[in-house]
Amino acid sequence: MSPNLSAILYLISGVLFILALRGLSSPETSRKGNLFGIIGMVIAVTVTFLSVGNFTSGFIYVLIFLAVGGTVGAFIAYKIPMTAMPELVAGFHSLVGLAAVFVAISAFINPEAFGLGTPGNIKLASLIEMAIGAAVGAITFSGSVIAFLKLQGIMSGAPITFKGQHALNALILVSIVVLTYYLCSTQSSNLFWILIAVSFLIGFLIIIPIGGADMPVVISMLNSYSGWAAAGIGFTLENTALIITGALVGSSGAILSYIMCKGMNRSFFNVILGGFGATDQSVGDKNKEQRPVKSGNADDAAFLMKNASSVIIVPGYGMAVAQAQHALREMVDTLKKNDIKVSYAIHPVAGRMPGHMNVLLAEANVPYDEVFELEEINNDFANADVAFVIGANDVTNPVAKTDPQSPIYGMPVLDVEKCKSVLFVKRSLSPGYAGIDNDLFYKENTLMLFADAKKMTEDITKNL
Amino acid sequence: MEIDPFIFRLSIFILSIFVGYYVVWSVTPSLHTPLMSVTNAISSVIIVGAIIAALSSNDGVIFSSSSVFGFLAIVLAAVNIFGGFLVTQRMLAMYKKKKKDK
């Protein structure tokens, strides 16, 4: 296949990827968008086969490895529970990162195959691109592995910090730049390996100090990195599809990180530097005096809801942990049968990744037009009778609006307390992730329901 | 003086960042999780590089030091492509509109 024709086809596949993302602007068009993405991928792979034009026995092996990976991927995609989506995405990011590293290594060992020069005499621009692709890929890989382990619970979600952490990270980042410089001037393969090793290390070090509830930012950030890594390799390979995709994914992840940071009213650097929560614990302990709390049971909750005319549900990560989304939807069905208006309010950082709650509710057959974002629904709390908070905590804390001393001050929160009554499902009075007490627990109109989220919702349904 | 082809690629790259910026802002927040999984799938177009790497050895040798990395990268990228697109499809199939009341 002529290089010009294949370049045009790669461009088409890049455009199809743009359309794939464009489709996600509404659920109706999203499925078609996904199809565009698949077509784009098929075109890119086919064109590559045709332009390499090497249909020897090696080609059979390519197909075998492709089939092996594809089978594993398809199996995972069908088996994975929706609650585990954050882990899955983190895992997938690590694969993109590692693949980028491998491609860069291969190009470094055998630059002739890629038309980049000869070993020890690689074109300068290609070498720089390769080094960037490999370094960012390695950071994506090790960072995503840590994120995966933290989300999976294999590694504690608590931030791991030590003295001199930031100085060490800064030193390593500088050394990556220095290594890249020397790699380019000497073409030494040892430096290339050291560069990759150091990048793996920094990816690991960057993510360990970041706590569990900051995972939405971390996942988005790694999403962005995987894009930049792909773009770096795209420049090396002079491949338009890869460059376009890398830019798309890179900016997509960056935007999601921005949205998540804004949802927590924290700067990106504040999240990256990590250690949030751990340092604020002492403040929370100091002013912990015993305050009276009203607690109730499923019967009380059912009574309150039966007499309501509108109910707003506020789901959070706790709902995912308790797998309570199906039980919740059954409760809502019963409420709707009694002509009670029900809607769902989702905070941008609810759950462990952007849009996590929406997927879980969709899985439980909740129609997406009953689910609202913070800005859309926040004014409705004042007119609603009951707010049902299930598994959310910090995102409902009125302290964010009233107490400038609070670490979460200024964070946008759901105005749950404006409802006539608030039902708060929670296992205990323990503070949320931010380590601060939730004022909502002690409000006159709050009824605490101490129980497992799933069990409580089921009990309420029985009592309705 | 002729313009280096690198500049053209850089132009594509920069413009794509802007395209990405506007396209992603138009994505509805309720689809942010599928957005991540689909970006995951499409960034695995890096498989293009993996295929070139895997078929890079000459003289009928299938597994050379450079092609082995290519084959490994093919497996990783393939997991991502199939896994990413299928899981996205599975998620998107769940988003349903309210049924019209009676």
Side-chain angles (χ1 to χ4, degrees):
Chain A
M1 191 182 276
S2 87
N4 285 335
L5 180 59
S6 50
I8 286 179
L9 290 171
Y10 281 133
L11 180 63
I12 291 174
S13 100
V15 170
L16 286 167
F17 291 150
I18 295 175
L19 293 177
L21 299 195
R22 177 68 197 146
L24 291 171
S25 57
S26 93
E28 286 106 86
T29 53
S30 62
R31 284 168 277 253
K32 209 200 269 166
N34 200 38
L35 190 65
F36 283 139
I38 296 172
I39 297 171
M41 189 60 74
V42 171
I43 293 178
V45 171
T46 316
V47 171
T48 310
F49 281 143
L50 294 178
S51 55
V52 174
N54 174 4
F55 294 101
T56 52
S57 48
F59 181 70
I60 308 291
Y61 281 97
V62 168
L63 291 183
I64 292 173
F65 281 87
L66 193 65
V68 169
T71 315
V72 173
F75 182 77
I76 297 173
Y78 279 108
K79 282 284 165 201
I80 192 90
M82 286 299 144
T83 42
M85 208 45 74
E87 291 94 302
L88 179 78
V89 168
F92 278 173
H93 286 155
S94 73
L95 300 184
V96 178
L98 196 57
V101 174
F102 285 167
V103 173
I105 291 177
S106 181
F108 186 79
I109 299 177
N110 188 357
E112 286 123 321
F114 296 83
L116 307 173
T118 51
N121 189 19
I122 300 170
K123 280 188 279 179
L124 179 66
S126 309
L127 197 56
I128 297 174
E129 292 151 6
M130 216 183 278
I132 293 175
V136 180
I139 294 172
T140 311
F141 172 72
S142 56
S144 301
V145 168
I146 300 300
F148 175 83
L149 294 177
K150 284 196 173 202
L151 287 164
Q152 189 73 283
I154 299 172
M155 196 171 150
S156 154
I160 299 168
T161 48
F162 54 87
K163 234 178 142 212
Q165 193 164 27
H166 299 324
L168 178 67
N169 289 353
L171 189 72
I172 295 179
L173 284 175
V174 171
S175 79
I176 288 182
V177 177
V178 174
L179 279 167
T180 311
Y181 175 78
Y182 279 107
L183 171 68
C184 293
S185 52
T186 63
Q187 303 253 349
S188 148
S189 57
N190 285 339
L191 287 177
F192 187 68
W193 298 117
I194 296 173
L195 175 70
I196 292 175
V198 170
S199 304
F200 277 130
L201 182 67
I202 188 72
F204 170 79
L205 288 172
I206 286 175
I207 307 301
I208 54 165
I210 304 179
D214 282 338
M215 279 305 151
V217 182
V218 171
I219 297 193
S220 319
M221 187 181 84
L222 291 167
N223 184 244
S224 181
Y225 287 1
S226 69
W228 304 130
I233 301 296
F235 275 103
T236 317
L237 303 179
E238 310 184 341
N239 184 304
T240 325
L242 206 40
I243 294 176
I244 295 178
T245 316
L248 288 180
V249 178
S251 53
S252 162
I255 291 171
L256 290 177
S257 316
Y258 170 78
I259 296 174
M260 294 300 113
C261 285
K262 220 176 82 190
M264 295 191 289
N265 188 40
R266 298 173 57 199
S267 77
F268 187 66
F269 285 102
N270 184 288
V271 175
I272 296 307
L273 295 177
F276 188 64
T279 44
D280 300 313
Q281 211 86 49
S282 53
V283 186
D285 290 342
K286 238 187 300 172
N287 37 25
K288 199 179 257 175
E289 76 256 42
Q290 286 294 318
R291 284 197 276 174
V293 184
K294 277 198 291 183
S295 85
N297 55 27
D299 203 18
D300 304 329
F303 178 78
L304 264 173
M305 283 205 263
K306 226 189 288 179
N307 290 308
S309 60
S310 69
V311 173
I312 299 179
I313 313 244
V314 181
Y317 182 58
M319 180 188 81
V321 174
Q323 302 264 6
Q325 65 271 31
H326 298 278
L328 180 68
R329 208 249 320 146
E330 275 161 37
M331 184 187 92
V332 170
D333 284 350
T334 322
L335 288 174
K336 280 199 227 156
K337 261 181 228 144
N338 293 318
D339 282 328
I340 300 164
K341 184 174 167 285
V342 185
S343 35
Y344 298 80
I346 309 236
H347 191 275
V349 295
R352 284 292 186 264
M353 74 182 292
H356 192 189
M357 290 301 122
N358 303 80
V359 170
L360 293 182
L361 292 176
E363 186 199 11
N365 279 323
V366 173
Y368 61 80
D369 37 9
E370 284 175 11
V371 182
F372 299 94
E373 302 300 315
L374 179 121
E375 310 88 69
E376 297 171 321
I377 200 167
N378 228 3
N379 292 328
D380 297 353
F381 281 106
N383 306 319
D385 297 312
V386 176
F388 186 74
V389 183
I390 173 167
N393 187 1
D394 291 335
V395 297
T396 62
N397 197 339
V399 158
K401 288 175 287 190
T402 53
D403 180 9
Q405 301 300 317
S406 166
I408 61 167
Y409 181 71
M411 167 171 138
V413 286
L414 292 158
D415 296 335
V416 173
E417 77 282 357
K418 289 188 181 152
C419 268
K420 288 203 192 76
S421 40
V422 178
L423 295 169
F424 207 112
V425 187
K426 203 169 180 313
R427 265 176 299 198
S428 70
L429 266 187
S430 63
Y433 168 71
I436 43 168
D437 230 6
N438 191 341
D439 263 7
L440 195 60
F441 300 163
Y442 313 104
K443 291 266 184 223
E444 190 58 30
N445 55 351
T446 305
L447 189 66
M448 299 297 294
L449 306 168
F450 293 112
D452 173 73
K454 188 173 176 189
K455 195 165 174 308
M456 179 49 78
T457 358
E458 284 166 353
D459 288 350
I460 293 174
T461 314
K462 273 182 220 141
N463 281 301
L464 274 169
Chain B
M1 203 184 113
E2 239 183 287
I3 298 171
D4 190 323
F6 171 79
I7 302 300
F8 289 118
R9 285 190 283 277
L10 188 67
S11 319
I12 294 174
F13 179 64
I14 303 285
L15 292 176
S16 302
I17 292 177
F18 279 92
V19 171
Y21 180 85
Y22 289 106
V23 168
V24 172
W25 272 115
S26 75
V27 171
T28 162
S30 67
L31 291 175
H32 276 164
T33 299
L35 171 68
M36 297 201 91
S37 61
V38 85
T39 49
N40 226 313
I42 63 172
S43 56
S44 306
V45 73
I46 200 158
I47 197 166
V48 164
I51 293 171
I52 299 175
L55 295 174
S56 62
S57 35
N58 341 313
D59 312 330
V61 187
I62 293 165
F63 295 104
S64 66
S65 57
S66 68
S67 75
V68 165
F69 282 108
F71 282 114
L72 289 176
I74 288 180
V75 176
L76 299 178
V79 171
N80 243 330
I81 292 172
F82 283 76
F85 280 124
L86 289 174
V87 88
T88 308
Q89 199 165 28
R90 202 180 130 203
M91 273 192 272
L92 293 176
M94 297 187 308
Y95 282 82
K96 290 188 195 83
K97 236 187 165 145
K98 197 171 356 191
K99 283 189 215 91
K100 284 271 168 286
D101 291 328
K102 288 127 234 174

